[in-house]
Amino acid sequence: MKRTLTVCPYCGTGCMFYLVSDGGRLVGVEPSVTHPVARGGLCIKGWNAFAFVHHPDRLTTPLVRRDGELRPASWDEALGLVAERLREIQGRHGADSIMFASSAKATNEENYLLMKLARGVFGTNNIDHCARLCHSSTVVGLAETFGSGAMTNSIDCVDQAEVILVIGSNTTEQHPLIGSRILKAARSGARLIVADNRRIRLARHAELHLRHRNGSDVALLNAMMQVIIAEGLEDREFIASRCENYPALAAAVADWTPERAAAVTGLDPGEIVAAARLFASAKTAMIVYSMGITQHSHGVDNVRCCAALAMLTGNLGRPGTGVNPLRGQNNVQGGCDMGALPDVLTGYQKVADPAVREKFARAWGVEALPEKPGLPLTRAMDAAAEGGLKGMFILGENPTLSDPDQGHARRALESLDFLAVQDIFLTETAALAHVVLPAACFAEKEGTFTNTERRVQRVRKAVEPPGEARADWEIIRALAERAGYGGMRYHDPSAVMDEITSLTPIYGGIGYDRLDPHGLQWPCPDRSHPGTPILHVGRFTRGPGRFSPAPYRPPSELPDDDYPFVLTTGRTYFHWHTGTMTRRTHLLDREERRSFVEINPDDAARLGVRERDQVLVASRRGEVQAQARVTEMVVPGVVFMPFHFAEGAANALTNNVLDPESSIPEFKVCAVRVRRAP
């Protein structure tokens, strides 16, 4: 048997484990007892991360659509067709008629190469990935306030926090190893505030559980800051020495009394006061959030308020403090770092900066790079539906299920003149493609992932890919050659990383030889640098931290007589995103086999719905069937659905309205009605 140390392919926690193989097949997983995050533990998904790799549904040969059906083809034909059709669309409609969707499941090197392909070969900044659907509001909000859109502290800092505010994060389900770290801290004396409409597992251990109305986070946080300022609990020395624009914040929150906020949030004023005092009185207080904060039509404002609360109380730049967004997918942080975003190249270097464009153009051997920021993925889907976007290349993502308003997403993809999809399974999105390219999964290739705490870690090949499948980086390299570009002749992914480090200051000191055994945290500017566990020590990345006041704006769609419930969406413990991998893992699929909707007992009684009844959930955009779970996890008037299940897809219902600054959809609030299925 062989043991190969690599990184888990699921959430952004970034646990390392050993893949155990026997005769070229994976047979199990062993956790790394020395890894600083995993500490010898794994969640149920991590323990089963090997199980989907050899599934019979794996794509093993390229597919080309002929006479309306996808049929096997040679690599030569498939790559030639992709290059030919994209060049044809570029020539007829211009470079910006093409969109490239990268993947948070692909390695840093692969995200970099697809970004290079889009910009250096096809001449468009239309490159984005699923961060648009999860943490684009974090990147905008924290970059504005702190100068960096990343998690400020390390996961280890949870152990040193006196108070932990978890807001909009079902951490034990979404990031189980971080959730267990929070639970251990609470048992060891840390005081826990959970701000979440649902009675999640963390709430059972919280000193305060704030069940505020969905979408009222700005009102809650502004009121907490009003109490802190009114009672003189702010850190005046930190504010004076390290921050700017404080008078504007103080003026903006002055009217947000607990009584006013109570009317918006549904909380008791005393709960808001207690939370403010508890957070402000701690020597070390940490904010942990996830998509319950970001996935709103005012997601950037939510992030601004989290940043302001931390600055107001001086809880930055020290162990046990910080604003800590938990990234959803295994390499969503790395995808952002690598410039798989429409307005930046690697390391968040702006495409609008002539010096940045010149540096990359010279390194890539091209005359010039496009200067106009490209389309965010969500707006690209709108453009496709309207006929303005003609071609799309999708790497390892499944927008047919993951995008809001599923019907709209499907219509957008079907409207394209040409769609190419590169993936490991024939997903719902790949089934719509003109060409499908079979890719290697995480266990079948080399590279790096960057976890939620900015830790760059090695991904190692344990087994061979099935059939004719190839690593994503090899496919992109071959496609560039077919498109007439000779600047991607890398012998292995380490050569790609060498190019990344030469162009990216925050990755400047990172090389494969320095990543054993457990990686480095960026910024790591040179080869002698040890990495950076905590950001903003002594000063913020942007200089002074900036208070950015946020006015309260309600969600875009609220309940009414026709649609009297609020729907919110999320994950379950056993599945991950669109279920492409976990639903092909027997032990995980056995635990959670079908779509469900949580409904409060009072609402269920009124509707005549009992536990396990089949119900129809409808919004203005669609209707799906799911099994009822009658539970006090949700408050009256609110229902919850996971988005993993194609046959009961929550995103057939969700609203495609976008945050105006980050273009993130409002997944967490939309109006629905519920009735028993006939």
Side-chain angles (χ1 to χ4, degrees):
M1 287 189 178
K2 182 176 119 184
R3 296 162 75 246
T4 305
L5 183 63
T6 192
V7 185
C8 182
Y10 288 119
C11 77
T13 304
C15 298
M16 292 193 85
F17 53 52
Y18 293 91
L19 286 172
V20 182
S21 56
D22 186 9
R25 288 186 68 85
L26 297 180
V27 295
V29 163
E30 293 178 7
S32 166
V33 296
T34 58
H35 190 252
V37 177
R39 293 178 172 178
L42 292 172
C43 75
I44 190 68
K45 291 185 285 289
W47 278 111
N48 287 276
F50 72 97
F52 71 87
V53 173
H54 302 298
H55 195 281
D57 287 351
R58 285 291 301 276
L59 291 169
T60 59
T61 186
L63 303 173
V64 170
R65 190 170 296 278
R66 300 189 187 96
D67 301 322
E69 292 186 11
L70 287 169
R71 302 173 189 263
S74 68
W75 272 108
D76 190 59
E77 179 187 3
L79 289 170
L81 185 56
V82 174
E84 176 189 334
R85 291 300 308 277
L86 291 180
R87 283 296 195 204
E88 177 187 324
I89 291 169
Q90 180 187 22
R92 183 177 301 175
H93 303 285
D96 289 339
S97 65
I98 303 170
M99 181 74 196
F100 291 84
S102 200
S103 176
K105 292 184 280 292
T107 65
N108 287 322
E109 294 77 6
E110 290 159 347
N111 276 280
Y112 172 81
L113 291 185
L114 192 66
M115 179 273 292
K116 183 176 179 178
L117 183 77
R119 292 181 162 118
V121 181
F122 287 95
T124 181
N125 283 320
N126 287 349
I127 172 81
D128 204 358
H129 74 298
C130 72
R132 187 64 48 196
L133 304 179
C134 61
H135 273 289
S136 56
S137 39
T138 289
V139 175
V140 174
L142 293 189
E144 176 188 293
T145 52
F146 298 162
S148 170
M151 182 171 171
T152 66
N153 285 55
S154 296
I155 294 167
D156 277 348
C157 285
V158 170
D159 306 339
Q160 302 168 70
E162 290 184 12
V163 170
I164 304 171
L165 169 59
V166 179
I167 182 166
S169 170
N170 188 1
T171 323
T172 57
E173 309 264 325
Q174 298 170 339
H175 302 88
L177 268 289
I178 300 177
S180 65
R181 193 79 66 94
I182 293 172
L183 289 173
K184 182 179 178 182
R187 288 194 294 267
S188 300
R191 304 172 79 181
L192 181 59
I193 306 169
V194 172
D196 195 300
N197 198 267
R198 295 172 72 221
R199 186 172 288 155
I200 60 174
R201 190 174 307 171
L202 284 179
R204 303 173 199 168
H205 303 267
E207 186 166 326
L208 288 172
H209 180 201
L210 308 176
R211 303 188 79 174
H212 60 304
R213 291 191 182 110
N214 296 64
S216 66
D217 305 278
V218 166
L220 169 61
L221 294 167
N222 276 347
M224 287 177 65
M225 289 188 282
Q226 190 274 344
V227 172
I228 290 168
I229 294 170
E231 297 189 359
L233 301 175
E234 72 276 21
D235 189 331
R236 296 175 186 175
E237 192 280 329
F238 185 92
I239 294 166
S241 64
R242 296 197 51 187
C243 303
E244 65 182 13
N245 207 37
Y246 173 67
L249 177 85
V253 304
D255 293 336
W256 276 104
T257 62
E259 291 73 22
R260 180 187 177 193
V264 174
T265 62
L267 297 171
D268 185 275
E271 294 179 281
I272 298 171
V273 173
R277 289 173 178 167
L278 180 56
F279 190 85
S281 63
K283 292 180 181 177
T284 55
M286 168 183 286
I287 300 172
V288 173
Y289 73 79
S290 193
M291 280 155 272
I293 281 289
T294 59
Q295 289 179 333
H296 292 271
S297 58
H298 49 267
V300 175
D301 284 341
N302 288 347
V303 173
R304 287 181 177 122
C305 288
C306 290
L309 178 61
M311 287 190 290
L312 185 66
T313 54
N315 280 297
L316 285 155
R318 296 181 287 123
T321 68
V323 177
N324 299 294
L326 303 182
R327 302 292 184 172
Q329 295 199 33
N330 56 308
N331 199 36
V332 70
Q333 182 65 59
C336 294
D337 297 345
M338 293 301 104
L341 296 169
D343 60 337
V344 293
L345 290 131
T346 60
Y348 309 96
Q349 301 171 85
K350 296 286 188 182
V351 299
D353 185 334
V356 168
R357 294 198 308 275
E358 183 183 352
K359 177 176 77 170
F360 278 84
R362 187 168 57 250
W364 293 350
V366 298
E367 287 188 15
L369 294 175
E371 64 182 80
K372 178 185 173 185
L375 285 172
L377 187 56
T378 44
R379 299 196 186 279
M381 298 296 276
D382 292 341
E386 294 162 4
L389 197 72
K390 303 296 184 180
M392 191 175 291
F393 184 97
I394 297 176
L395 167 63
E397 293 295 342
N398 191 14
T400 304
L401 280 191
S402 61
D403 270 33
D405 189 356
Q406 190 180 68
H408 171 269
R410 187 179 186 91
R411 289 191 298 273
L413 295 174
E414 290 175 339
S415 298
L416 294 166
D417 290 352
F418 180 73
L419 172 63
V421 174
Q422 187 167 308
D423 216 316
I424 64 174
F425 292 110
L426 191 68
T427 64
E428 291 80 5
T429 300
L432 302 176
H434 298 94
V435 177
V436 179
L437 304 176
C441 76
F442 84 106
E444 300 156 349
K445 61 187 177 184
E446 302 283 328
T448 57
F449 293 154
T450 304
N451 79 343
T452 191
E453 62 174 0
R454 298 168 282 103
R455 185 181 296 274
V456 186
Q457 304 182 109
R458 280 295 312 276
V459 177
R460 293 178 175 87
K461 183 176 180 178
V463 292
E464 293 296 325
E468 297 177 41
R470 299 179 182 177
D472 292 297
W473 71 272
E474 295 175 308
I475 300 171
I476 298 166
R477 179 184 63 179
L479 184 56
E481 293 271 354
R482 285 305 188 108
Y485 177 67
M488 287 198 196
R489 291 170 183 163
Y490 309 99
H491 53 84
D492 62 24
S494 69
V496 183
M497 179 54 75
D498 290 343
E499 183 172 308
I500 293 166
T501 61
S502 71
L503 293 167
T504 314
I506 61 173
Y507 274 65
I510 291 173
Y512 280 20
D513 60 317
R514 296 195 70 208
L515 296 181
D516 287 332
H518 302 133
L520 288 168
Q521 290 170 271
W522 67 257
C524 181
D526 57 60
R527 298 280 300 180
S528 62
H529 197 282
T532 309
I534 300 174
L535 297 179
H536 317 303
V537 176
R539 69 185 298 276
F540 287 95
T541 303
R542 70 180 299 277
R546 180 172 180 80
F547 286 104
S548 293
Y552 168 71
R553 289 182 288 126
S556 176
E557 186 176 80
L558 294 171
D560 56 23
D561 291 342
D562 292 329
Y563 299 92
F565 290 94
V566 168
L567 169 68
T568 187
T569 66
R571 298 190 215 165
T572 73
Y573 180 59
F574 297 101
H575 286 299
W576 191 69
H577 286 266
T578 61
T580 305
M581 298 184 291
T582 55
R583 296 194 72 194
R584 290 180 171 90
T585 300
H586 170 69
L587 290 177
L588 299 178
D589 190 54
R590 182 187 68 184
E591 296 297 323
E592 201 80 86
R593 289 199 161 176
R594 58 183 63 85
S595 183
F596 64 86
V597 55
E598 292 178 353
I599 184 168
N600 184 271
D602 293 347
D603 293 325
R606 182 168 48 82
L607 295 169
V609 170
R610 295 178 295 179
E611 179 76 11
R612 299 195 178 188
D613 277 355
Q614 290 296 308
V615 297
L616 297 174
V617 186
S619 74
R620 291 177 174 84
R621 291 154 293 279
E623 184 175 71
V624 298
Q625 184 167 312
Q627 187 180 81
R629 289 190 180 174
V630 181
T631 173
E632 292 187 349
M633 280 280 286
V634 291
V635 296
V638 174
V639 294
F640 167 84
M641 290 184 70
F643 67 98
H644 312 298
F645 302 94
E647 63 275 24
N651 283 331
L653 310 173
T654 48
N655 196 355
N656 193 36
V657 65
L658 306 178
D659 179 296
E661 296 177 89
S662 66
S663 299
I664 201 167
E666 189 152 64
F667 286 109
K668 296 306 182 196
V669 185
C670 74
V672 299
R673 60 173 172 246
V674 181
R675 62 188 175 94
R676 288 187 64 185

